[in-house]
Short mmCIF file of all heavy atoms in Angstrom, two decimals:
data_model
loop_
_atom_site.label_atom_id
_atom_site.label_comp_id
_atom_site.label_asym_id
_atom_site.label_seq_id
_atom_site.Cartn_x
_atom_site.Cartn_y
_atom_site.Cartn_z
N MET A 16 73.00 80.98 81.81
CA MET A 16 71.64 81.51 81.43
C MET A 16 71.18 82.49 82.44
O MET A 16 70.66 83.62 82.10
CB MET A 16 70.63 80.35 81.31
CG MET A 16 69.36 80.76 80.57
SD MET A 16 69.60 81.44 78.86
CE MET A 16 68.04 82.25 78.68
N ILE A 17 71.34 82.12 83.69
CA ILE A 17 70.92 83.04 84.76
C ILE A 17 71.68 84.34 84.77
O ILE A 17 71.12 85.48 84.99
CB ILE A 17 70.99 82.41 86.16
CG1 ILE A 17 69.97 81.30 86.30
CG2 ILE A 17 70.87 83.39 87.38
CD1 ILE A 17 70.23 80.30 87.41
N LYS A 18 73.00 84.27 84.43
CA LYS A 18 73.80 85.47 84.28
C LYS A 18 73.27 86.41 83.24
O LYS A 18 73.30 87.61 83.42
CB LYS A 18 75.25 85.02 83.96
CG LYS A 18 76.16 84.90 85.18
CD LYS A 18 77.58 84.65 84.72
CE LYS A 18 78.54 84.47 85.88
NZ LYS A 18 79.90 84.11 85.47
N LEU A 19 72.87 85.83 82.15
CA LEU A 19 72.33 86.61 81.00
C LEU A 19 71.10 87.38 81.50
O LEU A 19 70.94 88.61 81.28
CB LEU A 19 71.95 85.75 79.89
CG LEU A 19 71.50 86.45 78.57
CD1 LEU A 19 72.60 87.23 77.88
CD2 LEU A 19 70.76 85.51 77.62
N ILE A 20 70.23 86.76 82.22
CA ILE A 20 68.96 87.39 82.74
C ILE A 20 69.38 88.52 83.67
O ILE A 20 68.81 89.60 83.67
CB ILE A 20 68.03 86.34 83.49
CG1 ILE A 20 67.50 85.33 82.38
CG2 ILE A 20 66.95 86.99 84.21
CD1 ILE A 20 66.90 84.09 82.93
N LEU A 21 70.32 88.19 84.61
CA LEU A 21 70.75 89.30 85.57
C LEU A 21 71.37 90.46 84.79
O LEU A 21 71.05 91.60 85.24
CB LEU A 21 71.86 88.62 86.45
CG LEU A 21 71.32 87.88 87.72
CD1 LEU A 21 72.46 87.21 88.36
CD2 LEU A 21 70.60 88.81 88.64
N VAL A 22 72.13 90.20 83.75
CA VAL A 22 72.73 91.32 83.03
C VAL A 22 71.61 92.13 82.37
O VAL A 22 71.60 93.40 82.40
CB VAL A 22 73.68 90.80 81.94
CG1 VAL A 22 74.12 91.84 80.94
CG2 VAL A 22 74.98 90.24 82.66
N LEU A 23 70.66 91.46 81.74
CA LEU A 23 69.46 92.18 81.11
C LEU A 23 68.74 92.97 82.17
O LEU A 23 68.33 94.08 81.90
CB LEU A 23 68.62 91.14 80.37
CG LEU A 23 69.17 90.58 79.11
CD1 LEU A 23 68.25 89.42 78.62
CD2 LEU A 23 69.21 91.60 78.05
N LEU A 24 68.49 92.39 83.29
CA LEU A 24 67.75 93.04 84.38
C LEU A 24 68.49 94.30 84.87
O LEU A 24 67.89 95.33 85.00
CB LEU A 24 67.49 92.04 85.51
CG LEU A 24 66.38 92.38 86.48
CD1 LEU A 24 65.05 92.20 85.83
CD2 LEU A 24 66.51 91.53 87.76
N LEU A 25 69.77 94.15 85.08
CA LEU A 25 70.56 95.26 85.51
C LEU A 25 70.62 96.34 84.47
O LEU A 25 70.53 97.53 84.81
CB LEU A 25 72.02 94.78 85.86
CG LEU A 25 72.21 94.10 87.20
CD1 LEU A 25 73.58 93.54 87.24
CD2 LEU A 25 72.00 95.18 88.35
N GLY A 26 70.66 95.93 83.16
CA GLY A 26 70.64 96.96 82.10
C GLY A 26 69.36 97.67 82.07
O GLY A 26 69.29 98.94 81.94
N TRP A 27 68.28 96.94 82.25
CA TRP A 27 66.92 97.54 82.23
C TRP A 27 66.76 98.57 83.36
O TRP A 27 66.28 99.63 83.24
CB TRP A 27 65.80 96.44 82.26
CG TRP A 27 64.50 96.99 82.32
CD1 TRP A 27 63.82 97.50 81.24
CD2 TRP A 27 63.61 97.16 83.38
NE1 TRP A 27 62.56 97.92 81.58
CE2 TRP A 27 62.46 97.74 82.97
CE3 TRP A 27 63.69 96.94 84.83
CZ2 TRP A 27 61.37 98.01 83.86
CZ3 TRP A 27 62.66 97.24 85.65
CH2 TRP A 27 61.48 97.77 85.14
N VAL A 28 67.20 98.13 84.57
CA VAL A 28 67.15 98.97 85.79
C VAL A 28 67.99 100.25 85.46
O VAL A 28 67.55 101.38 85.77
CB VAL A 28 67.59 98.25 87.05
CG1 VAL A 28 67.77 99.18 88.19
CG2 VAL A 28 66.59 97.21 87.41
N GLY A 29 69.17 100.04 84.93
CA GLY A 29 70.01 101.16 84.65
C GLY A 29 69.43 102.16 83.71
O GLY A 29 69.49 103.34 83.91
N ILE A 30 68.79 101.61 82.66
CA ILE A 30 68.19 102.48 81.69
C ILE A 30 66.99 103.28 82.29
O ILE A 30 66.86 104.44 82.10
CB ILE A 30 67.70 101.66 80.42
CG1 ILE A 30 68.94 101.24 79.62
CG2 ILE A 30 66.76 102.49 79.50
CD1 ILE A 30 68.70 100.06 78.62
N SER A 31 66.24 102.52 83.17
CA SER A 31 65.04 103.16 83.75
C SER A 31 65.50 104.29 84.66
O SER A 31 64.97 105.38 84.67
CB SER A 31 64.30 102.16 84.63
OG SER A 31 63.78 101.14 83.74
N LEU A 32 66.55 104.13 85.46
CA LEU A 32 67.10 105.14 86.38
C LEU A 32 67.69 106.23 85.56
O LEU A 32 67.52 107.38 85.91
CB LEU A 32 68.21 104.47 87.26
CG LEU A 32 67.69 103.60 88.36
CD1 LEU A 32 68.90 102.87 89.10
CD2 LEU A 32 66.89 104.37 89.42
N PHE A 33 68.40 105.89 84.43
CA PHE A 33 68.97 106.93 83.59
C PHE A 33 67.86 107.81 82.98
O PHE A 33 67.95 109.10 83.04
CB PHE A 33 69.79 106.29 82.47
CG PHE A 33 70.48 107.21 81.57
CD1 PHE A 33 71.51 107.97 82.04
CD2 PHE A 33 70.02 107.46 80.28
CE1 PHE A 33 72.21 108.94 81.22
CE2 PHE A 33 70.66 108.39 79.43
CZ PHE A 33 71.76 109.14 79.94
N LYS A 34 66.75 107.24 82.52
CA LYS A 34 65.66 107.96 81.90
C LYS A 34 65.00 108.90 82.92
O LYS A 34 64.65 110.05 82.74
CB LYS A 34 64.58 107.02 81.40
CG LYS A 34 64.90 106.61 79.96
CD LYS A 34 63.75 105.72 79.47
CE LYS A 34 64.09 105.18 78.02
NZ LYS A 34 63.05 104.22 77.64
N ARG A 35 64.84 108.38 84.22
CA ARG A 35 64.29 109.13 85.29
C ARG A 35 65.17 110.35 85.64
O ARG A 35 64.74 111.39 85.94
CB ARG A 35 64.03 108.28 86.51
CG ARG A 35 63.18 108.85 87.54
CD ARG A 35 62.83 107.86 88.64
NE ARG A 35 61.96 106.82 88.22
CZ ARG A 35 61.48 105.87 88.96
NH1 ARG A 35 61.76 105.88 90.25
NH2 ARG A 35 60.69 104.99 88.47
N PHE A 36 66.47 110.05 85.59
CA PHE A 36 67.45 111.09 85.84
C PHE A 36 67.36 112.24 84.77
O PHE A 36 67.49 113.35 85.14
CB PHE A 36 68.79 110.46 85.98
CG PHE A 36 69.93 111.49 86.26
CD1 PHE A 36 70.06 112.06 87.51
CD2 PHE A 36 70.77 111.90 85.25
CE1 PHE A 36 71.13 113.01 87.81
CE2 PHE A 36 71.83 112.78 85.56
CZ PHE A 36 71.94 113.36 86.81
N MET A 37 67.25 111.82 83.56
CA MET A 37 67.22 112.75 82.44
C MET A 37 65.93 113.55 82.40
O MET A 37 65.87 114.68 82.00
CB MET A 37 67.37 112.03 81.08
CG MET A 37 68.76 111.41 80.91
SD MET A 37 70.15 112.61 81.05
CE MET A 37 70.01 113.37 79.46
N ASN A 38 64.77 112.92 82.76
CA ASN A 38 63.47 113.55 82.78
C ASN A 38 62.86 113.53 84.18
O ASN A 38 61.94 112.83 84.42
CB ASN A 38 62.52 112.97 81.74
CG ASN A 38 63.13 112.95 80.35
OD1 ASN A 38 63.48 114.00 79.84
ND2 ASN A 38 63.22 111.75 79.82
N PRO A 39 63.35 114.33 85.11
CA PRO A 39 62.75 114.27 86.45
C PRO A 39 61.34 114.82 86.54
O PRO A 39 60.60 114.50 87.50
CB PRO A 39 63.65 115.16 87.29
CG PRO A 39 64.35 116.04 86.32
CD PRO A 39 64.39 115.33 85.01
N ASN A 40 60.87 115.46 85.58
CA ASN A 40 59.47 116.08 85.59
C ASN A 40 58.48 115.13 84.93
O ASN A 40 57.30 115.50 84.94
CB ASN A 40 59.46 117.39 84.92
CG ASN A 40 60.31 118.43 85.70
OD1 ASN A 40 60.24 118.40 86.93
ND2 ASN A 40 60.89 119.38 85.02
N SER A 41 58.85 114.01 84.37
CA SER A 41 57.97 113.10 83.65
C SER A 41 57.21 112.18 84.58
O SER A 41 57.23 110.98 84.34
CB SER A 41 58.69 112.32 82.59
OG SER A 41 59.63 111.49 83.13
N SER A 42 56.70 112.66 85.60
CA SER A 42 55.85 111.91 86.61
C SER A 42 54.50 111.69 86.00
O SER A 42 54.10 112.34 85.05
CB SER A 42 55.86 112.55 87.94
OG SER A 42 55.37 113.85 87.75
N LYS A 43 53.75 110.79 86.66
CA LYS A 43 52.48 110.47 86.20
C LYS A 43 51.38 111.50 86.46
O LYS A 43 50.31 111.53 85.91
CB LYS A 43 52.02 109.14 86.77
CG LYS A 43 52.66 107.93 85.90
CD LYS A 43 52.26 106.55 86.46
CE LYS A 43 52.97 105.50 85.63
NZ LYS A 43 52.71 104.16 86.28
N SER A 44 51.64 112.31 87.48
CA SER A 44 50.63 113.36 87.92
C SER A 44 50.51 114.37 86.77
O SER A 44 51.43 114.69 86.07
CB SER A 44 51.07 114.02 89.20
OG SER A 44 52.28 114.67 89.07
N VAL A 45 49.32 115.03 86.73
CA VAL A 45 49.03 115.93 85.68
C VAL A 45 49.65 117.28 86.06
O VAL A 45 49.28 117.93 87.01
CB VAL A 45 47.54 116.07 85.48
CG1 VAL A 45 47.24 116.95 84.29
CG2 VAL A 45 46.85 114.72 85.31
N LYS A 46 50.64 117.68 85.27
CA LYS A 46 51.28 118.99 85.52
C LYS A 46 51.66 119.61 84.22
O LYS A 46 51.88 118.90 83.19
CB LYS A 46 52.61 118.78 86.40
CG LYS A 46 52.32 118.71 87.80
CD LYS A 46 53.62 118.59 88.63
CE LYS A 46 53.33 118.49 90.11
NZ LYS A 46 54.55 118.23 90.82
N THR A 47 51.66 120.86 84.16
CA THR A 47 52.08 121.63 82.98
C THR A 47 53.62 121.63 82.86
O THR A 47 54.30 121.22 83.74
CB THR A 47 51.55 123.04 82.98
OG1 THR A 47 52.09 123.73 84.10
CG2 THR A 47 49.98 123.01 83.06
N LYS A 48 54.09 122.19 81.77
CA LYS A 48 55.54 122.24 81.54
C LYS A 48 56.20 123.10 82.63
O LYS A 48 57.34 122.90 82.92
CB LYS A 48 55.86 122.75 80.20
CG LYS A 48 55.72 121.74 79.10
CD LYS A 48 55.84 122.23 77.68
CE LYS A 48 55.58 121.21 76.63
NZ LYS A 48 55.50 121.75 75.29
N THR A 49 55.50 124.05 83.13
CA THR A 49 56.04 124.94 84.17
C THR A 49 55.93 124.32 85.51
O THR A 49 56.35 125.02 86.48
CB THR A 49 55.37 126.31 84.12
OG1 THR A 49 53.91 126.16 84.21
CG2 THR A 49 55.66 127.07 82.85
N GLY A 50 55.46 123.13 85.58
CA GLY A 50 55.29 122.50 86.93
C GLY A 50 54.10 122.94 87.69
O GLY A 50 53.95 122.69 88.91
N GLN A 51 53.19 123.58 87.01
CA GLN A 51 51.92 124.02 87.63
C GLN A 51 50.95 122.90 87.80
O GLN A 51 50.84 121.99 87.00
CB GLN A 51 51.30 125.18 86.78
CG GLN A 51 50.84 126.32 87.64
CD GLN A 51 50.43 127.43 86.75
OE1 GLN A 51 50.11 127.26 85.57
NE2 GLN A 51 50.44 128.65 87.30
N LYS A 52 50.21 123.00 88.92
CA LYS A 52 49.27 121.96 89.19
C LYS A 52 48.00 122.22 88.33
O LYS A 52 47.61 123.38 88.24
CB LYS A 52 48.87 122.05 90.69
CG LYS A 52 48.54 120.72 91.32
CD LYS A 52 48.42 120.92 92.83
CE LYS A 52 47.24 120.14 93.35
NZ LYS A 52 47.00 120.51 94.79
N MET A 53 47.40 121.13 87.81
CA MET A 53 46.21 121.24 87.01
C MET A 53 45.01 120.85 87.78
O MET A 53 44.96 119.82 88.51
CB MET A 53 46.30 120.33 85.74
CG MET A 53 47.47 120.75 84.85
SD MET A 53 47.34 122.37 84.08
CE MET A 53 46.24 121.97 82.73
N LEU A 54 43.95 121.67 87.71
CA LEU A 54 42.72 121.37 88.43
C LEU A 54 41.55 121.14 87.47
O LEU A 54 41.48 121.83 86.45
CB LEU A 54 42.36 122.52 89.46
CG LEU A 54 43.45 122.93 90.43
CD1 LEU A 54 43.18 124.17 91.16
CD2 LEU A 54 43.57 121.77 91.48
N ALA A 55 40.69 120.18 87.81
CA ALA A 55 39.54 119.89 86.93
C ALA A 55 38.34 120.72 87.38
O ALA A 55 37.98 120.86 88.49
CB ALA A 55 39.21 118.45 87.03
N CYS A 56 37.70 121.35 86.34
CA CYS A 56 36.47 122.12 86.56
C CYS A 56 35.40 121.19 86.92
O CYS A 56 35.18 120.09 86.38
CB CYS A 56 36.07 122.79 85.23
SG CYS A 56 34.47 123.62 85.30
N SER A 57 34.60 121.55 87.99
CA SER A 57 33.51 120.67 88.51
C SER A 57 32.31 120.79 87.61
O SER A 57 31.33 119.98 87.84
CB SER A 57 33.17 120.98 89.90
OG SER A 57 32.97 122.36 90.08
N VAL A 58 32.26 121.63 86.60
CA VAL A 58 31.14 121.73 85.67
C VAL A 58 31.42 120.91 84.38
O VAL A 58 30.69 120.01 84.01
CB VAL A 58 30.78 123.18 85.35
CG1 VAL A 58 29.69 123.28 84.27
CG2 VAL A 58 30.38 123.97 86.59
N CYS A 59 32.53 121.28 83.71
CA CYS A 59 32.80 120.64 82.39
C CYS A 59 33.99 119.68 82.43
O CYS A 59 34.33 119.10 81.49
CB CYS A 59 33.00 121.75 81.36
SG CYS A 59 34.44 122.73 81.73
N ASP A 60 34.64 119.56 83.67
CA ASP A 60 35.78 118.63 83.79
C ASP A 60 36.96 119.03 83.00
O ASP A 60 37.87 118.18 82.72
CB ASP A 60 35.40 117.16 83.48
CG ASP A 60 36.08 116.19 84.32
OD1 ASP A 60 36.42 116.50 85.47
OD2 ASP A 60 36.44 115.09 83.80
N THR A 61 37.05 120.25 82.55
CA THR A 61 38.24 120.76 81.82
C THR A 61 39.40 121.00 82.83
O THR A 61 39.11 121.57 83.87
CB THR A 61 37.91 122.06 81.09
OG1 THR A 61 36.90 121.77 80.13
CG2 THR A 61 39.19 122.63 80.38
N HIS A 62 40.60 120.61 82.43
CA HIS A 62 41.76 120.86 83.41
C HIS A 62 42.30 122.24 83.08
O HIS A 62 42.66 122.52 81.92
CB HIS A 62 42.76 119.76 83.19
CG HIS A 62 42.39 118.50 83.89
ND1 HIS A 62 41.47 117.61 83.38
CD2 HIS A 62 42.78 117.95 85.04
CE1 HIS A 62 41.32 116.61 84.21
NE2 HIS A 62 42.13 116.77 85.15
N VAL A 63 42.42 123.03 84.14
CA VAL A 63 43.02 124.36 84.01
C VAL A 63 44.15 124.55 85.02
O VAL A 63 44.12 123.91 86.07
CB VAL A 63 41.94 125.48 84.22
CG1 VAL A 63 40.99 125.58 83.07
CG2 VAL A 63 41.13 125.18 85.55
N PRO A 64 45.15 125.28 84.73
CA PRO A 64 46.25 125.55 85.60
C PRO A 64 45.68 126.12 86.97
O PRO A 64 44.74 126.95 86.90
CB PRO A 64 47.18 126.57 84.96
CG PRO A 64 46.81 126.48 83.46
CD PRO A 64 45.37 126.05 83.44
N GLU A 65 46.29 125.77 88.04
CA GLU A 65 45.88 126.30 89.35
C GLU A 65 45.71 127.82 89.37
O GLU A 65 44.78 128.31 89.98
CB GLU A 65 46.86 125.87 90.44
CG GLU A 65 46.30 125.85 91.83
CD GLU A 65 47.23 125.22 92.79
OE1 GLU A 65 48.45 125.13 92.55
OE2 GLU A 65 46.73 124.68 93.88
N SER A 66 46.60 128.49 88.75
CA SER A 66 46.55 130.02 88.74
C SER A 66 45.31 130.55 87.98
O SER A 66 44.86 131.70 88.21
CB SER A 66 47.82 130.60 88.23
OG SER A 66 48.09 130.14 86.87
N ASP A 67 44.82 129.82 86.93
CA ASP A 67 43.69 130.24 86.18
C ASP A 67 42.39 129.75 86.72
O ASP A 67 41.31 130.27 86.29
CB ASP A 67 43.87 129.77 84.71
CG ASP A 67 45.01 130.41 83.97
OD1 ASP A 67 45.54 131.44 84.55
OD2 ASP A 67 45.44 130.01 82.88
N ALA A 68 42.44 128.79 87.67
CA ALA A 68 41.19 128.25 88.08
C ALA A 68 40.49 129.14 89.13
O ALA A 68 41.11 129.96 89.82
CB ALA A 68 41.49 126.89 88.84
N ILE A 69 39.15 129.14 89.08
CA ILE A 69 38.35 129.89 89.99
C ILE A 69 37.80 128.93 91.09
O ILE A 69 37.11 127.94 90.73
CB ILE A 69 37.17 130.58 89.24
CG1 ILE A 69 37.80 131.62 88.32
CG2 ILE A 69 36.25 131.27 90.23
CD1 ILE A 69 36.99 131.93 87.11
N ILE A 70 38.15 129.16 92.36
CA ILE A 70 37.67 128.34 93.47
C ILE A 70 36.63 129.06 94.26
O ILE A 70 36.87 130.18 94.73
CB ILE A 70 38.89 127.92 94.32
CG1 ILE A 70 39.86 127.08 93.47
CG2 ILE A 70 38.37 127.09 95.47
CD1 ILE A 70 41.25 127.02 94.02
N LYS A 71 35.46 128.49 94.20
CA LYS A 71 34.30 129.03 94.94
C LYS A 71 33.56 128.02 95.74
O LYS A 71 33.26 126.94 95.23
CB LYS A 71 33.33 129.60 93.88
CG LYS A 71 33.02 131.13 93.97
CD LYS A 71 32.01 131.60 92.98
CE LYS A 71 32.16 133.06 92.77
NZ LYS A 71 31.13 133.43 91.73
N ASN A 72 33.36 128.27 96.98
CA ASN A 72 32.78 127.31 97.91
C ASN A 72 33.41 125.98 97.90
O ASN A 72 32.73 124.96 97.97
CB ASN A 72 31.24 127.20 97.61
CG ASN A 72 30.48 128.51 97.59
OD1 ASN A 72 30.83 129.43 98.44
ND2 ASN A 72 29.63 128.74 96.69
N GLY A 73 34.70 126.01 97.83
CA GLY A 73 35.41 124.75 97.83
C GLY A 73 35.37 123.93 96.54
O GLY A 73 35.89 122.86 96.43
N LYS A 74 34.78 124.51 95.46
CA LYS A 74 34.70 123.81 94.22
C LYS A 74 35.56 124.57 93.20
O LYS A 74 35.78 125.80 93.29
CB LYS A 74 33.26 123.84 93.71
CG LYS A 74 32.43 122.76 94.38
CD LYS A 74 31.07 122.66 93.73
CE LYS A 74 30.27 121.46 94.28
NZ LYS A 74 28.94 121.42 93.64
N ILE A 75 36.01 123.80 92.19
CA ILE A 75 36.98 124.34 91.26
C ILE A 75 36.23 124.56 89.89
O ILE A 75 35.44 123.72 89.39
CB ILE A 75 38.15 123.42 90.98
CG1 ILE A 75 38.98 123.23 92.32
CG2 ILE A 75 39.08 123.88 89.91
CD1 ILE A 75 39.46 121.90 92.48
N PHE A 76 36.45 125.75 89.32
CA PHE A 76 35.75 126.12 88.00
C PHE A 76 36.78 126.55 87.07
O PHE A 76 37.81 127.25 87.47
CB PHE A 76 34.68 127.16 88.24
CG PHE A 76 33.61 126.68 89.23
CD1 PHE A 76 33.69 127.13 90.56
CD2 PHE A 76 32.61 125.93 88.80
CE1 PHE A 76 32.71 126.72 91.44
CE2 PHE A 76 31.63 125.51 89.69
CZ PHE A 76 31.66 125.92 91.02
N CYS A 77 36.59 126.35 85.71
CA CYS A 77 37.56 126.74 84.67
C CYS A 77 37.38 128.23 84.33
O CYS A 77 38.28 128.82 83.87
CB CYS A 77 37.41 125.86 83.52
SG CYS A 77 35.78 126.00 82.62
N SER A 78 36.15 128.68 84.44
CA SER A 78 35.95 130.08 84.05
C SER A 78 34.83 130.77 84.96
O SER A 78 34.19 130.07 85.71
CB SER A 78 35.41 130.08 82.57
OG SER A 78 34.16 129.38 82.51
N GLN A 79 34.77 132.05 84.87
CA GLN A 79 33.80 132.81 85.63
C GLN A 79 32.34 132.32 85.30
O GLN A 79 31.50 132.18 86.20
CB GLN A 79 33.82 134.32 85.24
CG GLN A 79 33.22 135.18 86.25
CD GLN A 79 34.00 135.27 87.61
OE1 GLN A 79 35.19 135.34 87.62
NE2 GLN A 79 33.28 135.12 88.67
N GLU A 80 32.07 131.93 84.05
CA GLU A 80 30.75 131.46 83.58
C GLU A 80 30.33 130.25 84.48
O GLU A 80 29.19 130.10 84.83
CB GLU A 80 30.90 131.06 82.08
CG GLU A 80 30.23 132.04 81.20
CD GLU A 80 30.48 131.57 79.73
OE1 GLU A 80 30.15 130.48 79.40
OE2 GLU A 80 31.09 132.39 79.01
N HIS A 81 31.25 129.30 84.54
CA HIS A 81 30.98 128.00 85.23
C HIS A 81 30.84 128.19 86.74
O HIS A 81 30.34 127.32 87.40
CB HIS A 81 32.00 126.93 84.84
CG HIS A 81 31.77 126.38 83.48
ND1 HIS A 81 32.63 125.52 82.86
CD2 HIS A 81 30.64 126.62 82.62
CE1 HIS A 81 32.12 125.24 81.59
NE2 HIS A 81 30.98 125.85 81.44
N SER A 82 31.45 129.28 87.22
CA SER A 82 31.42 129.40 88.74
C SER A 82 30.11 130.01 89.24
O SER A 82 29.79 130.13 90.40
CB SER A 82 32.60 130.30 89.12
OG SER A 82 32.39 131.66 88.80
N GLU A 83 29.27 130.49 88.25
CA GLU A 83 28.01 131.10 88.63
C GLU A 83 26.84 130.12 88.67
O GLU A 83 26.91 129.03 88.07
CB GLU A 83 27.69 132.24 87.66
CG GLU A 83 28.60 133.45 88.04
CD GLU A 83 28.72 134.47 86.92
OE1 GLU A 83 28.11 134.24 85.79
OE2 GLU A 83 29.49 135.46 87.04
ZN1 ZN B 127 34.15 124.51 83.21
#
């Protein structure tokens, strides 16, 4: 019985590692398909790519409107 549990456990670990190997980008952190970092607007909390975000006085904004 213990052998069966060990086999199942090893199989599960193997599948987990295999999935991680196949999808290295499927981490829990919020990232776009291009691997870009997403930042939350401090006004409306919308997530925008780092390159599109407007950073003013250390705060992050999604658009010019919200940065004013
Ligand atoms: Zn905003």
Side-chain angles (χ1 to χ4, degrees):
M16 192 61 195
I17 290 165
K18 266 189 183 175
L19 183 74
I20 292 164
L21 274 172
V22 166
L23 285 171
L24 199 72
L25 279 170
W27 180 77
V28 169
I30 289 164
S31 298
L32 286 172
F33 182 72
K34 274 184 182 173
R35 192 172 293 183
F36 179 73
M37 293 302 282
N38 302 304
N40 293 324
S41 63
S42 56
K43 278 180 185 173
S44 62
V45 187
K46 275 182 181 174
T47 59
K48 279 173 187 172
T49 52
Q51 222 171 23
K52 214 169 136 189
M53 298 296 279
L54 300 169
C56 171
S57 48
V58 175
C59 62
D60 213 34
T61 299
H62 283 76
V63 286
E65 200 172 22
S66 58
D67 292 347
I69 294 154
I70 298 161
K71 240 184 202 178
N72 303 322
K74 282 185 173 181
I75 298 143
F76 302 98
C77 65
S78 61
Q79 198 69 46
E80 256 174 59
H81 283 172
S82 71
E83 283 160 1

